[in-house]
Amino acid sequence: MSNRPLNVGLVGGGKGAFIVHPHQRAIHFDGTRRVVAGALFPDPKIALEEAANWPYPIKGYASYDDMIAANKDLPAEQKLDYILIVTPNFVHFDPAMKSMKAGIAVFCEKPLCLNLTEAKELVKTARALNVPFGVAHTYLGHWTSRFARYIVSSGLLGDVRWVDSYYLQGWLATKLEATGQQQASWRVDPKRAGGSGCGGDIGTHALMQLRYVTGLDVMAVSAQMETFVEGRALDDHFTIYCKLSNGGKALVRASQICIGMKNDLGLVVAGTKGTLTWRQETPESITVCLPNQPDRVYWRGAVTGGDGFLPQDLPADLIAEPTIPAGHPEGFHDAFARLHRCFEADVRKWKAGETFHSDGGKYASVEDGWTGIAFIETCVESSHQHGAWTAMPKKPNS
Ligand SMILES: NC(=O)c1ccc[n+]([C@@H]2O[C@H](COP(=O)([O-])OP(=O)(O)OC[C@H]3O[C@@H](n4cnc5c(N)ncnc54)[C@H](O)[C@@H]3O)[C@@H](O)[C@H]2O)c1
């Protein structure tokens, strides 16, 4: 294909929507991708109005069905290269399936969908049609997440014994949904959010961060899913003890009732040689703690090998990934941009008929999305049985 910017179509994003905005900024970050179209709202009239009022010109559609159907008749230069799904969880599966079947790549918000039946179908279809499919687990896009993954996979911490992966928020500590607040309303509704509230919303981020950084899988869970705010149908507090694929143990915990806490996603990886800590609210550095030594604080953009802990030669692609010098802070938008940049690379390869990977190394894959849903369903089952150890299902085709 030509080197024109990739064309992106939005599904969702109108009228007070949240996550579309960081995404659309990140899409435009490099000048090599642009939002050109959108089906922004469930009501067709409002969808068209919202598109007409978008901050820059885009083609508005009354529905994502219309947007996907129209694509086949567009000239090559105007065709959509991928769609971005930023709707509530119950509107992920349908546009993702239709988009793949129409030959359009998919970048979808997390959690992947509502249940394991849908998740299996998405994995099967993405594999059968060989379409790039990314899941928006934002925090993998921090350079320090890449670096932490390198440290663990290189064996520098020894064998992983224990991981504490947590995501603590306070914004649902009261019955915010009763006020009609848009983001709260659908997140506490099982029909629109899925089988778990807090676990699906942010526990899946904690799980993904654990899996990405350690390369380990969760094999079985003992789950306590609790609801502190009276009258809420889904959990707002999620505490999961896990058995890991290497025999280690982990705690994956999430809460939305920790008053005053914002987005405290963090990870502690304890190995047989040392411990690593990472926090998304301060994502520019990670700390490595070694016995009888001062802690080592590694800053994005200022890491050199051969320092007595890191080997001399660090992977060239890892060192090349930062976009600005150390000390000029990167953040949430940069993390999203890194995900879109890596997804773009796969979409361009796919369009050129080359092999692409979509293997979870640079952004979460559809299989990672499946794992998030499998984790939630296994936790629900365990929690119903008062925390009984419950095995995760086998991965599709494994
Ligand atoms: N990756 C992250 O860090 C992160 C952060 C927040 C939310 N999310 C995820 O993003 C998704 C959206 O969350 P949000 O907080 O932005 O929700 P939101 O309620 O703010 O926005 C959802 C948008 O989807 C639109 N919509 C609903 N049904 C539609 C349909 N049929 N057609 C077109 N548009 C439709 C709504 O009108 C709204 O514009 C959820 O899956 C959520 O879990 C991810």
Side-chain angles (χ1 to χ4, degrees):
M1 81 185 275
S2 73
N3 67 352
R4 69 157 170 76
L6 293 191
N7 293 329
V8 183
L10 303 176
V11 178
K15 274 217 159 190
F18 164 43
I19 206 64
V20 68
H21 296 294
H23 270 292
Q24 65 90 13
R25 292 179 201 116
I27 287 167
H28 290 263
F29 218 82
D30 302 298
T32 56
R33 309 170 292 273
R34 60 190 173 193
V35 175
V36 296
L40 302 174
F41 203 77
D43 177 287
K45 187 167 166 286
I46 299 175
L48 293 173
E49 282 166 12
E50 288 290 291
N53 291 327
W54 199 248
Y56 45 86
I58 60 170
K59 166 85 180 128
Y61 289 95
S63 68
Y64 60 78
D65 280 321
D66 284 2
M67 183 168 79
I68 293 167
N71 198 54
K72 65 176 184 320
D73 299 322
L74 292 176
E77 291 302 292
Q78 291 173 28
K79 277 196 197 299
L80 297 180
D81 299 300
Y82 68 98
I83 63 159
L84 172 69
I85 301 178
V86 282
T87 41
N89 311 348
F90 76 110
V91 194
H92 289 183
F93 175 78
D94 192 49
M97 286 296 285
K98 286 176 172 159
S99 187
M100 285 194 283
K101 287 179 180 170
I104 308 169
V106 177
F107 203 72
C108 182
E109 261 305 344
K110 47 49 59 180
L112 178 62
C113 51
L114 280 187
N115 55 50
L116 212 46
T117 308
E118 289 184 355
K120 274 186 200 151
E121 199 57 29
L122 289 169
V123 170
K124 204 174 93 188
T125 306
R127 284 181 183 168
L129 300 177
N130 195 33
V131 184
F133 196 121
V135 180
H137 278 290
T138 320
Y139 309 102
L140 274 54
H142 287 290
W143 187 82
T144 44
S145 297
R146 313 299 218 212
F147 182 53
R149 176 176 160 100
Y150 162 73
I151 287 180
V152 178
S153 69
S154 305
L156 292 165
L157 295 181
D159 295 330
V160 174
R161 284 174 162 166
W162 162 250
V163 183
D164 184 5
S165 191
Y166 55 90
Y167 197 151
L168 307 177
Q169 298 180 330
W171 71 293
L172 290 175
T174 60
K175 210 165 184 197
L176 188 60
E177 59 272 30
T179 68
Q181 204 269 3
Q182 175 176 330
Q183 283 74 29
S185 301
W186 66 259
R187 276 175 170 82
V188 300
D189 174 3
K191 289 200 180 69
R192 291 182 285 171
S196 162
C198 176
D201 199 31
I202 55 174
T204 48
H205 276 311
L207 172 75
M208 189 65 229
Q209 202 65 16
L210 177 159
R211 294 182 53 248
Y212 184 72
V213 169
T214 67
L216 298 172
D217 267 318
V218 168
M219 307 307 288
V221 303
S222 168
Q224 299 286 339
M225 295 169 64
E226 290 155 296
T227 308
F228 278 73
V229 174
E230 217 173 300
R232 211 170 248 171
L234 292 173
D235 53 295
D236 49 27
H237 193 74
F238 177 85
T239 311
I240 317 298
Y241 202 44
C242 306
K243 292 181 185 171
L244 298 176
S245 46
N246 71 339
K249 291 278 178 68
L251 191 56
V252 173
R253 56 196 173 101
S255 183
Q256 293 177 315
I257 53 100
C258 295
I259 292 181
M261 302 211 71
K262 295 157 193 78
N263 282 286
D264 194 5
L265 168 64
L267 190 71
V268 178
V269 182
T272 48
K273 294 185 187 164
T275 297
L276 175 154
T277 64
W278 175 92
R279 280 186 72 198
Q280 96 86 23
E281 289 183 349
T282 52
E284 284 284 83
S285 66
I286 64 166
T287 302
V288 173
C289 308
L290 300 171
N292 308 316
Q293 290 188 28
D295 295 347
R296 290 166 184 264
V297 181
Y298 289 105
W299 284 80
R300 177 195 59 76
V303 172
T304 45
D307 66 348
F309 174 65
L310 297 173
Q312 193 67 45
D313 292 327
L314 297 173
D317 65 332
L318 177 69
I319 296 303
E321 263 199 30
T323 53
I324 43 175
H328 293 304
E330 282 194 359
F332 193 66
H333 289 106
D334 303 75
F336 264 130
R338 197 169 278 114
L339 299 185
H340 280 284
R341 192 177 302 135
C342 295
F343 189 64
E344 172 187 346
D346 274 350
V347 172
R348 287 191 186 275
K349 282 185 190 156
W350 174 60
K351 295 248 158 187
E354 295 167 18
T355 306
F356 64 93
H357 296 295
S358 255
D359 61 0
K362 299 280 187 183
Y363 55 86
S365 64
V366 67
E367 286 84 359
D368 291 321
W370 175 93
T371 303
I373 300 296
F375 179 67
I376 291 305
E377 291 207 353
T378 311
C379 290
V380 169
E381 194 183 328
S382 166
S383 192
H384 280 156
Q385 295 169 47
H386 313 288
W389 280 105
T390 307
M392 285 273 285
K394 286 212 170 7
K395 294 189 177 196
N397 298 340
S398 68

